[in-house]
Amino acid sequence: MMFTAQPRSTENIQHVLTVGRSLEITTGGGKSRRRKIGQVPSHQRSCCWKVKAVIQSENNNKSTKLVEKSGNGSLVTSDKGIDVKAVITLRKKMKENITDKIEDQWESLMNGIGRGILIQLISQDIDPVTKSGKFAESYVRGWLSKPSDHPYIVEYAANFTVPHDFGRPGAIIISNLLDKEIHLVQIVVHGFNEGPLFFSVNTWIHSQKDNPQSRIIFQNQAYLPSQTPAGIKDLRREDLLSIRGNGKGERKLHERIYDYDVYNDLGNPDKSEDLARPLVGGKERPYPRRCQTGRSPTKTDPLAESRIEKPHPVYVPRDETFEEIKQNTFSAGRLKALLHNLVPLIAATLSSSDIPFTNFSDIDKLYNDGFVLNDDEHSKKNKFLSDTLVKVFSVSKRLLKYEIPAIIKRDRFSWLRDSEFARQTLAGVNPVNIELLREFPIVSKLDPAVYGPPDSAITRDFIEQELNGLSIEEAIEDKRLFILDYHDMLLPFIGKMNSLPGRKAYASRTLFFYTSRGVLKPIIIELSLPPTPSSPRNKRIFSHGHDATNHWMWNLAKAHVCSNDAGVHQLVNHWLRTHACMEPYIIATHRQLSSMHPIYKLLHPHMRYTLEINALARQSLINGGGVIEACFSPGKYSMEISSAAYKSMWRFDMEALPADLIRRGMAVEDPSMPLGLKLVIEDYPYAADGLLIWSAIKEYVESYVEHYYSDPNSVKSDVELQDWWNEIKNKGHADKKNEPWWPKLVTKEDLSGILTTMIWIASGQHAAINFGQYPFGGYVPNRPTLMRKLIPHEEDPSYENFIIHPEKTFLASLATQLQATKVMAVQDTLSTHSADEEYVHQLHEIQRFSINDHEVLKIFERFCAKLEEIEDTINQRNKDIRLKNRSGAGIPPYELLLPTSGPGVTCRGIPNSISI
């Protein structure tokens, strides 16, 4: 065995003796240490003086031999070994400033002379002398010129001569001696009998000036812990320990430390008392944990973490950050959001107030004209501001316009129809809250001493007027009554919400009847306020009616329901159940599963960018004073509502699509049907398409798990896997760690179920409730995110204005122009696919770089082929005229669960991960 290494220490090695199987090292500082030869720390093997050694195995009956120390670092062997070349692929920046270009030239020079990057090959085989993996090392040298379609990719080479009995390299230790970090795409080792050996990582390697610890890279081969080759077993453990952290100190941007923390960084009490927010996560306000950043506490509140405001980045482990293409896409979206927000903000400022929409033409102008500042008494100032925006940001005024949302592109009046209101509960952006009504009367579970009588104001007479001769009992038995119930979730917060300026909301219940024609229609809306001494049953009932007054009242009631639905969708179904709940799974996967663990490799594509997008959300979306608070009804109580929903309703076992559908009564168990269940409403696009995707994920996960866990006890005996699942429960979801519903992890069936749920949440579930945000919410009357006025009573002073100008009353109840355009800009950004998006149908292409197993790659190929079949099936369904929730005059097809998409706002496509 041979070694040399990089100069990482100021200590010069003065003397080296071989003592049995150890090296006794005396340094210039007079210190003497004895180490096993393979365990000599890298910083002692890599001093300014190069030590060279050749250790010949005891198996060939030759004595151990020490070669003199040398200053040139060249390898010396007793006989000719195997010539090996490692080709290192790096990615440069796409956009470089003058400093970057100078650094690139310096990097090329240092690598050219062999002083930039040091790599060590670690064999899978144990050296009989050192009892650790054999190793060889070399600097990368020179420049490999290679014609390429990728101008940002560069390659270097490192040459080795290794003994014939070196064995197969299982790991590489890489040390970056440059002054800046490098982005390592892959290393390919040539020269061994097995053919090229791939180490594909796509990772950032920190500079040793930031951290002297070298990086460990494993070959593209999956191993359970018990199957790890002996030569790299210690490295597997060492690599995991390096990224766990100790929970102390502020994280630095170059680090890759994964640890847990509560949501204590949402408020900014040092800036303003109004921006103080309670800690979320813990006994009082339970919540999933986030990735720890370790910043110091605020001066005002020792429990609150100080904030990092834009444009400064929030820490996430280095490899979790956006790649440059994604950054550019996101920045373009942020620029668009800035322009959308800034112009109406200036207009509002100049007019001294944030104005409401006064007629529907004001809304149409968002798409037809965009925001062009008017030539009025402020014409000169307006023209200067408008011209400055266009000049500074190098965009045309067209960028200030919004695209026409899909919901009104085919039929601008669709939002007015009751059938469309109902259709969106099954095929809209939030199709996961509608439930089967299974009991009557409808009763609240809230404390009646605080929230008044528990019975709903929806009586038998109200319902049976709409049932075409059926009794309630018959309609319930036939599974034809459905409910959208936000009463218990929101009523505890309505009083606080309505105390906020410009916010008025109710807790709502909406009943739907499934007609004999196969169409869902809304029949009754109940809107409730907290009880008062004068009104202990503060509830109002609305039905669609047939006269003009009831028609407009009904439209106002529907708008309030949509506002509640938008808030629950964003705070509970979108943020909590996908983004926030996925974060602990990702942290635990990195902390407990080695990068060579087969389950790590399975999950890795489904973790891409999620921690980064969540950090950005904490910075500007869900934070105190952020977009969600500014533009949605719950305002500053948004995260408290999200926490309350987590406490009362979130269960891991119910996040599986089939279990969720059965829980809501939208499906029943039926052994004769695929997946053992049958939909109560066959024309339920989200569920029908979602079950196709779920089934494909389930089949592929089961095949993958079976490949690696064929032994009946292999799941239970996998120490990394058990630690992973225990950490998810006990640390990632610490506030629910004692719940009895957590799945056990004993059998491969248990493991397959857990993984299928996680991958579904990261891919299909998130796609279904995210990428329709602008197509459905971009038209304010269709899906208002907040309401500013309660519905007038006859005795109210505003009632007369309502009778005279019902349209103005309706529009004045919606968000203001500034609020609406701000949320539209964010929805537009969140609905946009990046140009570098990775979709589920591409998994076989993505995974072939990380797994060197033909049988496993065939599993991915079968999965992707299945997704192609599913896409054809969904396209055929969208053409079926019998399915009225996905086809018909002016009806947009349901494409949110189509696997493929191009970039942009497409209202389709399933990315592998929660990446936006």
Side-chain angles (χ1 to χ4, degrees):
M1 185 177 69
M2 307 157 295
F3 66 80
T4 59
Q6 74 278 25
R8 269 194 280 165
S9 171
T10 57
E11 293 182 314
N12 289 341
I13 292 180
Q14 300 295 315
H15 192 61
V16 181
L17 292 177
T18 54
V19 183
R21 293 180 179 178
S22 300
L23 290 182
E24 187 171 279
I25 302 171
T26 303
T27 66
K31 298 178 181 177
S32 180
R33 300 177 179 88
R34 183 174 297 182
R35 302 283 189 180
K36 287 184 179 180
I37 292 170
Q39 296 177 351
V40 179
S42 183
H43 73 274
Q44 292 176 354
R45 294 191 258 118
S46 13
C47 302
C48 298
W49 289 91
K50 302 295 181 295
V51 176
K52 303 175 302 171
V54 178
I55 307 300
Q56 296 175 323
S57 172
E58 290 181 345
N59 294 336
N60 60 15
N61 297 317
K62 294 183 180 180
S63 61
T64 298
K65 177 181 177 183
L66 180 68
V67 179
E68 290 293 333
K69 59 189 178 182
S70 167
N72 61 19
S74 61
L75 291 171
V76 178
T77 60
S78 59
D79 55 47
K80 178 66 175 175
I82 303 171
D83 291 330
V84 176
K85 175 182 286 187
V87 178
I88 296 96
T89 304
L90 305 179
R91 177 183 291 133
K92 297 197 305 179
K93 285 185 179 180
M94 296 170 62
K95 294 182 179 179
E96 294 185 318
N97 56 34
I98 187 64
T99 303
D100 294 325
K101 291 179 179 179
I102 293 172
E103 288 179 345
D104 279 348
Q105 294 299 318
W106 179 251
E107 175 186 318
S108 297
L109 174 62
M110 296 305 292
N111 285 326
I113 65 174
R115 288 296 182 269
I117 301 170
L118 175 87
I119 67 173
Q120 299 172 336
L121 298 184
I122 311 298
S123 173
Q124 293 183 352
D125 297 342
I126 285 283
D127 187 293
V129 176
T130 66
K131 303 304 182 184
S132 60
K134 303 173 185 178
F135 75 96
E137 61 186 21
S138 176
Y139 288 94
V140 300
R141 292 179 183 275
W143 174 273
L144 285 181
S145 60
K146 175 184 173 185
S148 173
D149 295 331
H150 304 284
Y152 311 112
I153 298 297
V154 295
E155 292 180 342
Y156 296 97
N159 295 301
F160 302 82
T161 301
V162 302
H164 294 287
D165 62 350
F166 184 82
R168 176 180 178 144
I172 289 176
I173 298 177
I174 185 164
S175 304
N176 173 17
L177 309 180
L178 301 166
D179 289 336
K180 68 170 187 176
E181 63 183 359
I182 56 175
H183 192 275
L184 176 64
V185 178
Q186 70 173 7
I187 301 174
V188 183
V189 179
H190 302 269
F192 290 95
N193 291 334
E194 298 89 341
L197 302 177
F198 289 86
F199 296 74
S200 298
V201 285
N202 200 30
T203 185
W204 289 95
I205 307 293
H206 59 264
S207 169
Q208 293 221 323
K209 73 173 186 178
D210 293 323
N211 181 358
Q213 191 176 39
S214 299
R215 281 288 305 279
I216 302 169
I217 308 296
F218 295 106
Q219 201 217 330
N220 300 356
Q221 186 74 41
Y223 294 106
L224 295 176
S226 60
Q227 299 168 345
T228 310
I232 58 174
K233 198 166 187 176
D234 289 344
L235 292 179
R236 181 174 186 143
R237 177 69 176 167
E238 182 181 335
D239 187 49
L240 279 175
L241 289 174
S242 71
I243 62 176
R244 288 180 186 169
N246 58 10
K248 299 177 181 178
E250 181 173 351
R251 300 272 66 87
K252 298 178 176 58
L253 294 179
H254 68 267
E255 293 180 328
R256 50 194 291 268
I257 301 299
Y258 295 79
D259 212 343
Y260 301 93
D261 207 344
V262 294
Y263 282 73
N264 58 358
D265 62 341
L266 301 178
N268 195 347
D270 287 349
K271 184 176 182 179
S272 167
E273 186 177 339
D274 291 338
L275 293 177
R277 295 293 180 270
L279 181 149
V280 179
K283 186 176 180 180
E284 187 175 354
R285 297 180 186 85
Y287 217 61
R289 298 303 190 255
R290 65 168 177 93
C291 187
Q292 185 191 56
T293 52
R295 296 190 299 271
S296 59
T298 62
K299 298 175 183 178
T300 310
D301 182 358
L303 296 179
E305 186 175 88
S306 56
R307 284 183 55 78
I308 297 291
E309 301 292 357
K310 293 188 300 184
H312 303 291
V314 176
Y315 168 81
V316 293
R318 186 64 181 96
D319 286 341
E320 305 295 333
T321 56
F322 290 162
E323 292 183 19
E324 201 167 358
I325 295 175
K326 177 72 171 182
Q327 286 176 339
N328 293 342
T329 301
F330 196 76
S331 295
R334 288 172 63 188
L335 173 59
K336 186 188 290 188
L338 170 65
L339 292 171
H340 281 316
N341 295 341
L342 188 55
V343 176
L345 177 62
I346 293 169
T349 301
L350 293 177
S351 62
S352 75
S353 66
D354 184 12
I355 59 176
F357 294 106
T358 56
N359 54 62
F360 285 96
S361 296
D362 289 341
I363 302 174
D364 293 338
K365 287 177 182 178
L366 297 175
Y367 319 109
N368 298 330
D369 301 331
F371 278 97
V372 179
L373 296 174
N374 296 323
D375 291 328
D376 51 18
E377 64 273 15
H378 303 286
S379 59
K380 291 183 180 179
K381 191 171 185 179
N382 289 348
K383 187 175 187 307
F384 169 76
L385 290 168
S386 181
D387 290 348
T388 300
L389 285 170
V390 174
K391 182 177 180 181
V392 169
F393 295 110
S394 300
V395 295
S396 67
K397 291 186 179 181
R398 179 174 176 78
L399 190 59
L400 307 181
K401 291 167 50 173
Y402 289 92
E403 296 295 325
I404 298 175
I407 193 60
I408 61 166
K409 200 165 190 175
R410 298 184 178 206
D411 181 358
R412 63 178 300 187
F413 300 110
S414 64
W415 67 276
L416 276 169
R417 292 195 300 270
D418 287 352
S419 58
E420 179 61 24
F421 174 77
R423 188 188 77 86
Q424 289 183 32
T425 66
L426 301 171
V429 70
N430 188 41
V432 297
N433 280 108
I434 187 169
E435 299 183 42
L436 181 72
L437 184 67
R438 285 173 275 201
E439 293 181 351
F440 188 83
I442 302 167
V443 179
S444 170
K445 296 179 181 178
L446 297 174
D447 184 356
V450 178
Y451 300 104
D455 288 354
S456 167
I458 301 175
T459 65
R460 176 181 294 272
D461 290 342
F462 278 130
I463 297 175
E464 291 187 341
Q465 290 176 17
E466 306 290 339
L467 299 187
N468 299 333
L470 290 177
S471 68
I472 288 180
E473 289 74 18
E474 289 171 327
I476 289 176
E477 184 178 355
D478 291 347
K479 295 181 172 56
R480 296 176 64 180
L481 280 174
F482 298 85
I483 188 169
L484 196 63
D485 192 348
Y486 297 133
H487 179 276
D488 286 10
M489 185 186 297
L490 295 180
L491 189 61
F493 295 91
I494 292 297
K496 293 189 288 187
M497 289 163 55
N498 287 347
S499 68
L500 299 173
R503 306 289 169 96
K504 296 299 176 186
Y506 301 91
S508 62
R509 290 187 178 108
T510 309
L511 251 58
F512 300 86
F513 178 57
Y514 191 60
T515 70
S516 57
R517 299 189 303 274
V519 175
L520 195 66
K521 73 171 185 177
I523 55 175
I524 295 171
I525 293 174
E526 177 190 55
L527 300 180
S528 302
L529 295 171
T532 63
S534 61
S535 182
R537 288 180 60 86
N538 209 349
K539 306 175 188 291
R540 296 181 69 179
I541 299 296
F542 300 86
S543 60
H544 47 79
H546 300 286
D547 62 274
T549 301
N550 278 336
H551 171 76
W552 276 106
M553 285 283 190
W554 175 246
N555 284 335
L556 283 168
K558 286 196 298 181
H560 275 280
V561 172
C562 287
S563 175
N564 286 348
D565 191 69
V568 172
H569 161 259
Q570 198 67 264
L571 295 168
V572 179
N573 299 325
H574 181 208
W575 170 254
L576 168 65
R577 293 176 63 189
T578 63
H579 284 259
C581 285
M582 196 71 197
E583 187 151 345
Y585 312 152
I586 295 170
I587 298 171
T589 299
H590 284 282
R591 285 169 53 88
Q592 297 298 340
L593 299 182
S594 166
S595 59
M596 71 174 85
H597 196 292
I599 301 308
Y600 176 96
K601 290 182 178 293
L602 177 74
L603 290 176
H604 189 258
H606 305 290
M607 305 188 293
R608 184 178 188 234
Y609 292 156
T610 303
L611 296 190
E612 170 83 339
I613 199 66
N614 285 4
L616 289 169
R618 298 201 313 274
Q619 194 174 36
S620 59
L621 291 180
I622 63 170
N623 61 302
V627 173
I628 301 300
E629 289 193 0
C631 301
F632 287 77
S633 288
K636 66 188 292 185
Y637 305 104
S638 293
M639 286 299 288
E640 293 183 54
I641 290 176
S642 190
S643 170
Y646 177 72
K647 180 179 182 179
S648 65
M649 62 163 280
W650 186 86
R651 298 175 43 156
F652 182 88
D653 60 332
M654 292 292 108
E655 293 303 288
L657 178 60
D660 175 62
L661 293 172
I662 291 172
R663 177 185 63 83
R664 291 189 284 120
M666 301 304 292
V668 294
E669 295 184 12
D670 185 343
S672 67
M673 298 294 289
L675 294 175
L677 76 165
K678 179 181 179 181
L679 294 178
V680 170
I681 297 177
E682 180 184 356
D683 187 14
Y684 184 2
Y686 159 76
D689 294 356
L691 287 173
L692 293 178
I693 302 296
W694 171 273
S695 179
I697 294 172
K698 180 175 182 288
E699 180 182 324
Y700 125 78
V701 169
E702 288 175 344
S703 298
Y704 186 93
V705 168
E706 174 65 33
H707 180 79
Y708 287 103
Y709 293 93
S710 55
D711 187 303
N713 295 318
S714 53
V715 169
K716 191 174 182 180
S717 62
D718 185 335
V719 292
E720 286 184 6
L721 191 67
Q722 294 299 326
D723 288 345
W724 168 78
W725 184 234
N726 287 332
E727 184 164 294
I728 285 172
K729 294 182 294 182
N730 296 322
K731 289 189 176 181
H733 286 271
D735 302 325
K736 296 220 167 192
K737 63 183 178 182
N738 296 321
E739 296 288 352
W741 40 254
W742 282 105
K744 305 296 183 185
L745 183 53
V746 178
T747 67
K748 60 188 177 185
E749 289 77 18
D750 298 335
L751 177 58
S752 296
I754 290 168
L755 294 171
T756 301
T757 297
M758 289 181 178
I759 293 173
W760 160 253
I761 291 168
S763 56
Q765 179 72 354
H766 180 258
I769 60 179
N770 179 72
F771 292 105
Q773 288 193 75
Y774 183 78
F776 284 97
Y779 189 67
V780 181
N782 180 67
R783 194 168 177 78
T785 57
L786 63 80
M787 298 292 285
R788 298 189 304 123
K789 297 179 183 296
L790 297 175
I791 300 175
H793 290 268
E794 289 188 21
E795 61 272 18
D796 292 340
S798 59
Y799 189 80
E800 184 177 349
N801 288 333
F802 163 68
I803 294 297
I804 298 172
H805 297 293
E807 176 185 314
K808 287 187 176 180
T809 298
F810 179 84
L811 291 171
S813 299
L814 304 180
T816 65
Q817 293 192 34
L818 175 58
Q819 290 169 326
T821 53
K822 183 181 290 187
V823 77
M824 286 166 66
V826 173
Q827 288 175 333
D828 186 39
T829 301
L830 297 182
S831 301
T832 299
H833 288 292
S834 171
D836 75 335
E837 194 70 88
E838 294 178 350
Y839 299 92
V840 286
H841 71 283
Q842 299 170 315
L843 267 175
H844 66 294
E845 300 174 10
I846 297 166
Q847 290 286 27
R848 67 189 174 92
F849 294 109
S850 62
I851 299 180
N852 182 24
D853 188 319
H854 293 298
E855 290 301 316
V856 172
L857 293 178
K858 287 180 182 178
I859 293 172
F860 289 112
E861 288 174 2
R862 288 197 297 269
F863 173 60
C864 296
K866 183 69 174 179
L867 292 174
E868 291 180 9
E869 295 176 11
I870 290 173
E871 183 146 337
D872 290 339
T873 300
I874 294 174
N875 286 329
Q876 290 303 313
R877 286 175 174 177
N878 285 332
K879 297 176 184 177
D880 190 339
I881 60 174
R882 296 171 299 173
L883 302 177
K884 297 179 175 59
N885 288 324
R886 60 200 312 157
S887 66
I891 300 294
Y894 186 77
E895 297 182 327
L896 284 167
L897 284 166
L898 279 176
T900 65
S901 176
V905 180
T906 64
C907 204
R908 60 178 289 170
I910 304 177
N912 285 314
S913 62
I914 300 170
S915 58
I916 190 66

